[in-house]
Amino acid sequence: MIDLFKKKVTILVVVGIVFIILVGAVVIGNGIKSNKSSYINNKKVQSVSKNKSIHKNAKDNANSLVKNQNNTANVNGSAKGQNNSASTFNYKDYFGEWTIKKSIGTSPVSAMSSDQIASYVGKKIIISADQFTDLDGTVLKNPTYKQKNVLNSEFINDTHRQLSYFKITSNYINEIEVDNNGGMYSNIYIIDKDNIMYSVNGVFFQLQK
């Protein structure tokens, strides 16, 4: 009887140990599974967050690039507009005979009297490819013409007057420089297609065809 009782107790102990081992294994397995699931979820969250960050940076970079391109376009557009204005000016369009109509101003220091200025009204200059005829009848053979866009600051240096003094609202004026034998002889300023400005001894005259 004692031996039988010992056998039963031993079997119960073994069964209990096995049960405890099985329960422990299940608990450990669930813990590992839970930790693995948490690790995977954390990785997914990090991946999504990283992708969002990459997408945001790419979007910001794209917006910055577009903004820079627009600024460049604006800058280039402004420069192009000035070049177009300059390119429409052709000195050959002003070949012909031009007659003084009136005086339109003087430099701060002028050597002419009112009577002398008045005496120039009606005088002419003639611009052509093979010669330039001045107001006093001087003829330059085979002159060289240079067309320029003269800024207001440059005009002030040359004439000691601002363009606004002649009621010119632009910040530049078109100019035809007449050269003779490699040196500058005179300057003709373009007011518009029908009017030019020519200076003599500090007096500015308006001429028309």
Side-chain angles (χ1 to χ4, degrees), residues 2-37:
I2 294 174
D3 291 337
L4 181 60
F5 176 76
K6 287 182 178 181
K7 287 181 180 180
K8 288 182 179 181
V9 170
T10 301
I11 292 171
L12 290 174
V13 170
V14 171
V15 171
I17 292 172
V18 171
F19 178 77
I20 291 171
I21 292 172
L22 290 175
V23 171
V26 170
V27 171
I28 293 172
N30 288 337
I32 293 173
K33 184 177 180 181
S34 176
N35 290 337
K36 184 177 180 181
S37 177

Side-chain angles (χ1 to χ4, degrees), residues 4 12-14 38 55 73 78 84 92 101 114 124-125 172-173 187 193:
L4 181 60
L12 290 174
V13 170
V14 171
S38 177
H55 178 72
S78 176
N84 284 343
K92 293 181 180 179
K101 296 301 179 180
S114 297
K124 305 176 186 294
I125 64 171
Y172 72 91
I173 190 169
N187 304 90
K193 64 184 183 66

Side-chain angles (χ1 to χ4, degrees), residues 45-73:
V45 170
Q46 290 176 0
S47 177
V48 170
S49 177
K50 184 177 181 181
N51 288 337
K52 286 183 178 178
S53 178
I54 292 172
H55 178 72
K56 184 178 184 300
N57 290 338
K59 185 176 180 180
D60 290 344
N61 290 337
N63 290 336
S64 177
L65 179 60
V66 169
K67 183 177 180 181
N68 289 336
Q69 288 175 340
N70 288 337
N71 289 338
T72 302

Side-chain angles (χ1 to χ4, degrees), residues 15 26 35 55 68 76 85 88 91 103 111 117 120 124 128 132 143 147 159 169 181 188 195 197:
V15 171
V26 170
N35 290 337
H55 178 72
N68 289 336
N76 291 339
S85 177
T88 58
Y91 72 92
S103 166
I117 292 173
Y120 273 86
K124 305 176 186 294
S128 66
F132 174 81
Q147 64 183 51
T159 66
T169 57
N181 295 325
I188 301 166
N195 296 273
M197 183 167 61

Side-chain angles (χ1 to χ4, degrees), residues 7-209:
K7 287 181 180 180
K8 288 182 179 181
V9 170
T10 301
I11 292 171
L12 290 174
V13 170
V14 171
V15 171
I17 292 172
V18 171
F19 178 77
I20 291 171
I21 292 172
L22 290 175
V23 171
V26 170
V27 171
I28 293 172
N30 288 337
I32 293 173
K33 184 177 180 181
S34 176
N35 290 337
K36 184 177 180 181
S37 177
S38 177
Y39 175 79
I40 292 173
N41 288 335
N42 287 337
K43 282 292 183 180
K44 286 181 179 180
V45 170
Q46 290 176 0
S47 177
V48 170
S49 177
K50 184 177 181 181
N51 288 337
K52 286 183 178 178
S53 178
I54 292 172
H55 178 72
K56 184 178 184 300
N57 290 338
K59 185 176 180 180
D60 290 344
N61 290 337
N63 290 336
S64 177
L65 179 60
V66 169
K67 183 177 180 181
N68 289 336
Q69 288 175 340
N70 288 337
N71 289 338
T72 302
N74 289 335
V75 173
N76 291 339
S78 176
K80 184 177 179 182
Q82 293 175 355
N83 290 335
N84 284 343
S85 177
S87 66
T88 58
F89 165 53
N90 188 338
Y91 72 92
K92 293 181 180 179
D93 294 338
Y94 298 90
F95 283 178
E97 184 178 281
W98 296 83
T99 304
I100 291 180
K101 296 301 179 180
K102 61 181 179 179
S103 166
I104 56 175
T106 65
S107 63
V109 178
S110 174
M112 283 195 195
S113 66
S114 297
D115 291 340
Q116 288 174 319
I117 292 173
S119 69
Y120 273 86
V121 175
K123 291 187 176 183
K124 305 176 186 294
I125 64 171
I126 302 173
I127 311 170
S128 66
D130 56 353
Q131 70 179 39
F132 174 81
T133 304
D134 206 350
L135 296 171
D136 60 0
T138 300
V139 177
L140 307 181
K141 295 292 185 180
N142 300 314
T144 301
Y145 300 104
K146 296 178 182 178
Q147 64 183 51
K148 300 179 179 180
N149 295 105
V150 179
L151 295 175
N152 184 54
S153 58
E154 298 171 307
F155 186 80
I156 293 171
N157 289 334
D158 294 339
T159 66
H160 305 289
R161 289 294 189 190
Q162 296 193 47
L163 291 172
S164 58
Y165 174 78
F166 301 101
K167 298 181 180 180
I168 296 171
T169 57
S170 173
N171 68 339
Y172 72 91
I173 190 169
N174 294 325
E175 174 192 338
I176 301 174
E177 180 182 302
V178 183
D179 290 350
N180 183 44
N181 295 325
M184 188 185 73
Y185 177 79
S186 64
N187 304 90
I188 301 166
Y189 298 102
I190 309 302
I191 298 175
D192 55 42
K193 64 184 183 66
D194 298 315
N195 296 273
I196 63 174
M197 183 167 61
Y198 194 68
S199 66
V200 180
N201 296 328
V203 179
F204 295 87
F205 295 99
Q206 180 181 344
L207 292 79
Q208 295 178 345
K209 278 188 177 182

